[in-house]
Amino acid sequence: MDADALAGHWGWLNHRPRHRGGGLRADAEVVLDAAGRRVLVELCGVGEEVLGRALPSWGREEDEVAGWGTAGMPQGMWRVGGAVVGPVAFGCRLCAARRTGGPVRVVRYAARWERVCVRHGRWGLDADAGGVPEHLDLREVPEVVARRRWAGVARRAARAGVGPGKVFGVAWAVVCRWWESALHWEREEVWPQRLHAVAGGDAGGDFGWWRVVGRDAVVFPEVVAVADALLDPGMVERLWRDSGAGRPRMLRVDGAFCRELGERVRRAWLGSVVVVEDGGPLIAWMGAVVRRRRGGAGAGVGLGWVDDPWRVRQEDRPATAAALLRSPGRERKAGGSGTLWRTMVPAEERMLIDELVGEAEEQLLPLRGAQTGSTADAARHLLGNLSWGVEFLERALWRTAVAALNAGVPVQDVAGWAGLSAAELTDVLTAGRDENDE
């Protein structure tokens, strides 16, 4: 049936989503009310239970659609696919042609580890971005096509009782953070070669655009390798020893865990810079794993996400290609408070602040439910941990304030956010400088 004629069977509560430039979005999705679903069943001649399995949006958000139109009129609502089910990608036209007999465009809900068409050597790109091709050609980068490696990681995650999606999310966040820093890695050769290959031989004409569009395909082998490493008990044991085991110490950037991680991604030199360059999702994962190990088998009970190593904080989640293309100047200086923290504060300083906050958290978390036992024991436990926690927090406050001031944030703003007057902030900075000099 003609698309317009088909759409006439429903009353529409809104218009089909468009990009800012006015073009129709490829990832548009339809949500139907109960009457609207019955119409589709009659038109297709296919049972509702079959359509329920075939259409991910079937039955979603019925309450939002119901009751808005003319009484008895089947209703439909246009939505953006990612807001209904999940990430939407272009499917392989060649695969679609084998099944339909014609070259039709296909979009499908696909997690980021499901973007490879092994048969035709293609990577399906996100369908929510405007002005991007449907796929990247992977024939010159066969290591990206090796999707079967991810299947093994997924099985290992299932045996460990972790959802494969969570493991992929952490590994993807870690590697995408490396991708941000890789432009400054003098010894990095693999990613530039892959990027030029998926760009058809030369990404130089619009390098920034290709870095956004090609990122997920180019880094996929490293994401799989990192995910596999994070699930390896041997790697966890290396991390435990690097952290001091039963005698806590700050993580070493040249420790066995980081060196082995560099080897796993076939960059032996990366181990010495991986933690310093990261300061985000990898450090968060490492800290959560160590805290759980120190707390014993019951660690994390009642703490929710605090000690969940497979939770990626919102600020550490990589932006999608669509978001990056909408704001290509997001990393440029805007002056003063308008700058971005990661562009203005050195990676080493960010890592130290993370370490101090993590150490303070480690001292304070055990105090939940600690007000039991004799007065002396409870007071000794509380005051001892509180004093250590306060010391770490004071050092973190000093470093954060200095970083903000160096980034151009006005003194009055920094003082206000720290709950201090300008004079008090000056005293804190002076005391902190003297302490660090010692």
Side-chain angles (χ1 to χ4, degrees):
M1 295 181 65
D2 177 80
D4 292 334
L6 179 63
H9 287 83
W10 296 274
W12 296 96
L13 306 179
N14 58 353
H15 298 287
R16 180 168 177 168
R18 293 176 178 271
H19 293 291
R20 290 183 178 179
L24 294 173
R25 292 183 61 129
D27 64 333
E29 178 61 281
V30 169
V31 178
L32 302 174
D33 65 0
R37 293 197 297 275
R38 287 194 295 270
V39 170
L40 187 59
V41 168
E42 294 173 1
L43 289 170
C44 295
V46 177
E48 185 166 346
E49 67 284 354
V50 176
L51 290 176
R53 292 195 301 269
L55 302 176
S57 66
W58 191 263
R60 299 290 180 99
E61 304 182 46
E62 181 175 338
D63 292 342
E64 187 174 341
V65 182
W68 279 85
T70 306
M73 177 69 176
Q75 299 297 313
M77 174 181 285
W78 286 102
R79 296 296 307 276
V80 172
V84 179
V85 178
V88 183
F90 289 106
C92 176
R93 282 187 181 240
L94 298 178
C95 288
R98 292 179 67 244
R99 307 191 62 177
T100 65
V104 295
R105 187 177 74 176
V106 178
V107 292
R108 65 192 187 99
Y109 290 103
R112 297 192 182 278
W113 60 86
E114 299 175 326
R115 303 298 177 88
V116 178
C117 172
V118 177
R119 180 187 296 273
H120 300 110
R122 292 181 167 187
W123 179 278
L125 290 169
D126 289 342
D128 60 346
V132 300
E134 294 183 13
H135 70 271
L136 298 176
D137 190 338
L138 303 179
R139 287 176 294 181
E140 298 300 321
V141 282
E143 66 271 26
V144 179
V145 184
R147 188 180 61 182
R148 294 177 183 84
R149 290 182 56 211
W150 170 254
V153 175
R155 288 193 295 270
R156 174 178 283 188
R159 289 195 298 269
V162 185
K166 288 189 173 183
V167 176
F168 184 90
V170 173
W172 184 51
V174 169
V175 177
C176 285
R177 181 64 62 88
W178 294 349
W179 177 259
E180 293 177 14
S181 304
L183 284 175
H184 308 292
W185 292 350
E186 295 181 359
R187 301 176 66 180
E188 176 57 43
E189 298 177 352
V190 177
W191 282 343
Q193 292 174 359
R194 276 195 212 141
L195 184 61
H196 287 299
V198 299
D202 183 10
D206 196 348
F207 185 72
W209 186 86
W210 277 111
R211 273 199 102 239
V212 171
V213 173
R215 180 195 64 185
D216 290 349
V218 169
V219 305
F220 185 61
E222 285 73 23
V223 173
V224 175
V226 170
D228 188 58
L230 299 185
L231 287 167
D232 187 345
M235 291 292 286
V236 173
E237 189 62 31
R238 289 184 180 90
L239 173 60
W240 175 243
R241 292 197 298 268
D242 288 346
S243 71
R247 303 179 64 181
R249 65 173 180 236
M250 291 185 68
L251 289 170
R252 297 167 50 194
V253 298
D254 61 344
F257 174 86
C258 294
R259 289 199 305 271
E260 177 63 20
L261 191 60
E263 295 285 351
R264 295 282 187 108
V265 295
R266 300 184 179 183
R267 294 165 176 82
W269 51 267
L270 185 59
S272 61
V273 299
V274 62
V275 175
V276 174
E277 288 286 357
D278 182 82
L282 182 59
I283 286 290
W285 181 89
M286 296 165 72
V289 168
V290 170
R291 287 193 296 274
R292 280 196 164 190
R293 180 78 174 264
R294 287 177 183 163
V301 176
L303 299 181
W305 51 262
V306 174
D307 271 349
D308 180 5
W310 305 110
R311 174 186 175 271
V312 180
R313 299 173 298 188
Q314 181 64 41
E315 62 269 25
D316 289 333
R317 295 174 186 173
T320 64
L324 294 173
L325 291 173
R326 283 196 298 268
S327 51
R330 73 197 185 291
E331 292 284 342
R332 296 174 185 168
K333 291 184 179 181
S337 300
T339 56
L340 290 183
W341 182 260
R342 283 183 55 80
T343 66
M344 301 300 294
V345 181
E348 295 85 351
E349 193 64 26
R350 298 198 309 270
M351 185 196 72
L352 288 172
I353 293 172
D354 276 346
E355 286 282 356
L356 290 169
V357 172
E359 292 289 349
E361 183 181 46
E362 190 169 325
Q363 296 296 326
L364 299 177
L365 283 177
L367 298 185
R368 294 186 178 182
Q371 300 188 59
T372 59
S374 69
T375 302
D377 288 343
R380 181 172 59 252
H381 181 49
L382 286 165
L383 291 174
N385 283 57
L386 284 170
S387 62
W388 277 105
V390 168
E391 179 178 339
F392 286 123
L393 288 175
E394 286 179 344
R395 290 164 60 187
L397 185 147
W398 180 84
R399 288 191 174 278
T400 304
V402 170
L405 291 171
N406 290 339
V409 180
V411 173
Q412 59 270 25
D413 288 346
V414 175
W417 298 332
L420 303 170
S421 66
E424 290 171 332
L425 177 63
T426 301
D427 292 340
V428 168
L429 296 177
T430 302
R433 182 178 63 245
D434 294 341
E435 181 178 314
N436 279 272
D437 289 342
E438 295 176 3

